[in-house]
Structures are given as C-alpha cells and as structure tokens.
Amino acid sequence: MKNIKNLSKHLMTMFALSIFLLTACEIEPKESITPPGAEGISSNMMDRFKSLPEGFQARIDPKLNFGSESARQTNLGVQTDQQYREIVRRILNAVEDSECSDTDLYLWLDEELADWDDEVIFYAIVSGMLDFPTYDAFLFENSSEGQYFGKDGEYTQSTTKAFKDLQRFWNIDSKGIVLAAMHGNMLLDREKVIRIDKILYGDDQETAEDYADLILDLLDYFPQYRNGDHPIFTFNAFATSGFFFPPAGGDIPPKIIMGDGILEAYSALGFDDVAPQAILAHEFGHHIQFQLGLFDSPITDPAEATRRTEMMADAYSAYYLSHARGATMQWKRVQQFLEVFFNIGDCGFDNSGHHGTPLQRMAAAEWGYQVANTAKKQGQILTSEEFAALFEAKLPELVAVP
C-alpha cells in the first residue's frame, strides 16, 4: 500500500476542500478551518486509533497515512447556500459561536448531534465522510432519471413536480439541467467511495480500496453515523453550472443538488409542505443567473456581489412560489418558511459568501411577491430578463433595509 507522510497536512487539505466547495459562490481556495483535535494531530493520532477495540484497530492501523498531500482543485461554477455549511462548522466547533447560532434549524441539528462526542466528530472529519456524499452528487449524479428525494423518497413527488413547473414557468433553456439528490447512504457503497477518493486525493487503486474499507468500518463501529443517514452528511443544497472534468468522465451537466439532510431538517420544523419547492426555486434562480450571465457584476466587493445574487435568487423564488401561474402558494406560508430560511446563521457581513441580512433577504422576497401579486390580474409571467432588470433597479432600496 502506498504510504503518504504527514497525515495532519492531508487532514487540513481535506477539510479545506469541504469549505472550498461548499461555502463559495465563485470557487476559489479558502483558508482551512482547524477541526477539533487537529493541533498536534500527528503525535496523538496513533493513540486515538489504539483506543479502539483490537479487531477494529488492526484494520485501521495500516491506513493511518491514507490519501495524498493535495486534492484536485478546479475552477467550477458552483452556487451554494453557505449558511448550511456554517451551521455544520459551528456545531462541530470549527468556528466560534455567534449571535446567529441560536436559530431553530441550528438547534434542531444540535439536538441531532447530541450523542456525537469529540471522538465521533474527529473520525467523521478525518475519514472525509462529511464531504463524500457532496462530491458523489457533484461529480457523478449526472442524470435526473431514477432520482428519489428524501431518505425514503418522501419528497420525490413534490420535488420533481416543482422542477417541471419551474422549467415551464421560466423562459430559460433548462432541458439540460439535472435534478439530483444527495444521499448519505452512498458511504456504504464501496465502489463510489473508491472512485471519489482516487479523484480527490490522487490515490492508487489499493490505497483507495483501503480508504473505502476504513469508512465502512467507521460506519459499522459508530452507530451515531446512522450508516450514513445522519442529516449532517447531506445538510446542503446547491446549484452548479456545466463543466468539463476528465477525471470524472468528462462532461458534467448543469445540476441542482438537493440533500436529504436539509429536507429532513425543514420537515422536522414543520415545513415539509413548502421547503422542497422553495429551496428548489431558489437554486433554479441561480441557474437563471448562470444562463443570463448575471454573476457578472460591476460590484467589486465580493460580499456585496454575493449578496446581490443571493437576494436576486430569493426574489426569483418568491415570485414563482406566489405567482398565480407558478406554485400558487399562500404568501403567509411562504413567508413563514423564509423567516426560518433567512435566519440560519449568516452573520459574515464581510465574508465573500455573505448572503445579506435576514431583513434584506426578506425584503427581496417580499418585493418578488408584490411583483407576482400585481401580475395576478392579467396572469402575466415576466421573462427572466425582465424580472432581473426590475430587480437591479430595486436593489439599492432593498439593500438599504438594515
């Protein structure tokens, strides 16, 4: 088996990749966040592994130096709601708490992780399990056929129907967009883990097989991981434009990825009737932006530029959800969901991934609703270009909201 030195460096690379993919709108390298136990990890790693039962330890010991020193990094078009990942990072003590942490969604996930001690957290990070479901969907779920949404498929009908409605509603070319799910149970699929490991870390076949066996052993040993079905593994949703990536087979189509974990969270909070449609509508808004080139902006400040595109996606979403020829949802119900959606931890006002304050985002959504409400009388659907132009003109007023 190939041995790679400096496990600490590999761990930092792996965790940095998670932040790299999941918290940026225009992907660029980010500073890594030190996970729990990372300080001095090279010296105490063996002690941590030796604390496991002898039979389990025998399988793990040869794999202490798994992975390569750096993973492949590509400049890809990815638009993702970084608030979800921020919650995960705070729950795992990767960053300090803030006044944004005490939200319903945060508290729910915190309760779901009540039985995760430092050891369980440590192995989840070291093994890469927090990232593998994302990369599996990101690189390999390249068809809408056969997809199911929710761990048991409970959101399949509402999600697929909403996707078809959005394709009909907006005037962009959406035939090539793949709607796919992110499932944590892919961690049980040895071949899927092997192929991702070889791409991310450049490992040879033998090392990748050992890595996959490590993950299977961890899933078997720690019931807290729920065989990959714990919501933390799929606590996200994102949109990505198409790109060419030979290591994964070549052309990767444009996608919307819906994670089981984020759908489970909103369902637990009582929003299973609106969350799939609302999240999907927001991500579809990013695809409108991809196609119309709306990520190109004269705004030079990264935080302000991201706030603009996120608030625009909020407005696109609210317009569709409340339009008489869209999802025809009652605005009061949509508003209840959005209040939770917009209050999930985005306090990074100077961060390049800043999405806008909750009040700013709600102002954008309410504006989208008002535009839809005005159109009810004549049943008109604005084109995506017309809507964008109206939003751009309104943006200064929306941003002026505290």
Side-chain angles (χ1 to χ4, degrees):
M1 174 178 137
K2 176 175 70 175
N3 290 319
I4 304 295
K5 296 181 179 179
N6 199 340
L7 178 59
S8 178
K9 184 174 181 180
H10 176 55
L11 173 59
M12 289 298 95
T13 298
M14 180 163 37
F15 201 79
L17 262 181
S18 126
I19 305 303
F20 171 82
L21 174 62
L22 293 175
T23 67
C25 291
E26 293 183 3
I27 296 304
E28 55 188 35
K30 303 291 178 185
E31 293 182 2
S32 60
I33 304 298
T34 303
E39 293 183 4
I41 195 171
S42 296
S43 62
N44 67 19
M45 173 70 83
M46 185 67 74
D47 290 336
R48 287 181 178 271
F49 277 108
K50 285 184 176 179
S51 69
L52 296 171
E54 183 176 352
F56 187 71
Q57 172 198 333
R59 293 288 304 278
I60 299 277
D61 280 350
K63 302 165 189 169
L64 287 178
N65 291 319
F66 50 75
S68 62
E69 292 188 1
S70 63
R72 299 178 184 273
Q73 296 184 0
T74 53
N75 186 19
L76 309 175
V78 177
Q79 181 70 27
T80 161
D81 291 309
Q82 67 94 16
Q83 305 101 308
Y84 299 139
R85 198 59 171 181
E86 190 74 7
I87 292 177
V88 171
R89 293 165 64 204
R90 293 187 188 283
I91 289 286
L92 298 182
N93 300 316
V95 294
E96 292 183 3
D97 250 357
S98 75
E99 65 270 24
C100 289
S101 298
D102 191 20
T103 68
D104 290 341
L105 203 64
Y106 183 101
L107 294 174
W108 177 84
L109 186 60
D110 192 32
E111 182 62 28
E112 290 294 302
L113 291 163
D115 59 348
W116 281 43
D117 58 21
D118 288 344
E119 184 180 49
V120 176
I121 293 172
F122 175 83
Y123 289 119
I125 294 175
V126 169
S127 67
M129 286 190 289
L130 292 172
D131 299 323
F132 272 51
T134 296
Y135 283 107
D136 178 62
F138 179 52
L139 295 175
F140 293 108
E141 289 297 336
N142 295 327
S143 172
S144 299
E145 296 299 320
Q147 296 288 337
Y148 67 96
F149 298 90
K151 288 186 297 186
D152 300 312
E154 60 269 39
Y155 305 110
T156 301
Q157 182 176 359
S158 59
T159 304
T160 54
K161 181 181 183 302
F163 185 56
K164 292 177 181 177
D165 287 345
L166 282 160
Q167 290 178 305
R168 169 192 55 79
F169 187 82
W170 291 113
N171 67 317
I172 64 169
D173 182 8
S174 58
K175 296 188 296 296
I177 299 175
V178 168
L179 175 63
M182 186 197 317
H183 301 300
N185 62 13
M186 61 74 50
L187 293 167
L188 296 172
D189 190 321
R190 188 170 182 266
E191 294 305 313
K192 288 185 177 181
V193 174
I194 288 171
R195 69 184 182 184
I196 296 171
D197 174 78
K198 292 169 73 174
I199 288 176
L200 292 185
Y201 309 127
D203 288 339
D204 59 26
Q205 180 68 23
E206 184 180 1
T207 302
E209 289 176 359
D210 287 338
Y211 198 102
D213 289 337
L214 165 65
I215 288 180
L216 288 172
D217 283 340
L218 289 170
L219 291 171
D220 182 63
Y221 184 79
F222 290 108
Q224 292 93 329
Y225 298 144
R226 306 180 192 176
N227 286 320
D229 278 337
H230 195 288
I232 198 171
F233 295 122
T234 52
F235 199 76
N236 208 348
F238 60 91
T240 175
S241 62
F243 58 96
F244 182 68
F245 191 54
D251 288 320
I252 306 296
K255 300 179 185 181
I256 293 176
I257 303 297
M258 303 282 283
D260 289 347
I262 200 64
L263 292 174
E264 181 180 352
Y266 282 119
S267 176
L269 296 178
F271 291 104
D272 55 330
D273 61 322
V274 60
Q277 300 92 325
I279 295 172
L280 183 60
H282 178 94
E283 303 305 335
F284 200 93
H286 289 318
H287 274 286
I288 296 174
Q289 294 167 333
F290 285 139
Q291 288 203 20
L292 299 186
L294 296 174
F295 284 104
D296 298 328
S297 168
I299 300 175
T300 57
D301 180 80
E304 290 186 17
T306 301
R307 178 178 60 189
R308 166 185 165 270
T309 53
E310 287 301 321
M311 290 175 64
M312 185 187 296
D314 294 334
Y316 272 123
S317 174
Y319 180 75
Y320 159 77
L321 291 171
S322 56
H323 198 285
R325 293 174 60 188
T328 64
M329 289 186 175
Q330 292 292 326
W331 169 245
K332 183 177 181 181
R333 183 56 174 161
V334 173
Q335 187 175 28
Q336 288 171 341
F337 168 77
L338 292 179
E339 286 174 354
V340 175
F341 186 69
F342 295 157
N343 283 276
I344 55 178
D346 187 16
C347 281
F349 303 127
D350 297 321
N351 188 295
S352 62
H354 177 51
H355 285 38
T357 69
L359 289 178
Q360 287 171 334
R361 297 190 66 183
M362 184 59 75
E366 288 181 343
W367 174 80
Y369 158 71
Q370 292 296 341
V371 175
N373 190 51
T374 301
K376 283 182 179 178
K377 297 177 182 179
Q378 67 268 34
Q380 176 191 12
I381 300 176
L382 293 172
T383 67
S384 53
E385 295 89 347
E386 290 171 336
F387 189 87
L390 290 175
F391 175 84
E392 298 284 20
K394 189 72 174 180
L395 179 60
E397 182 179 334
L398 299 174
V399 171
V401 176

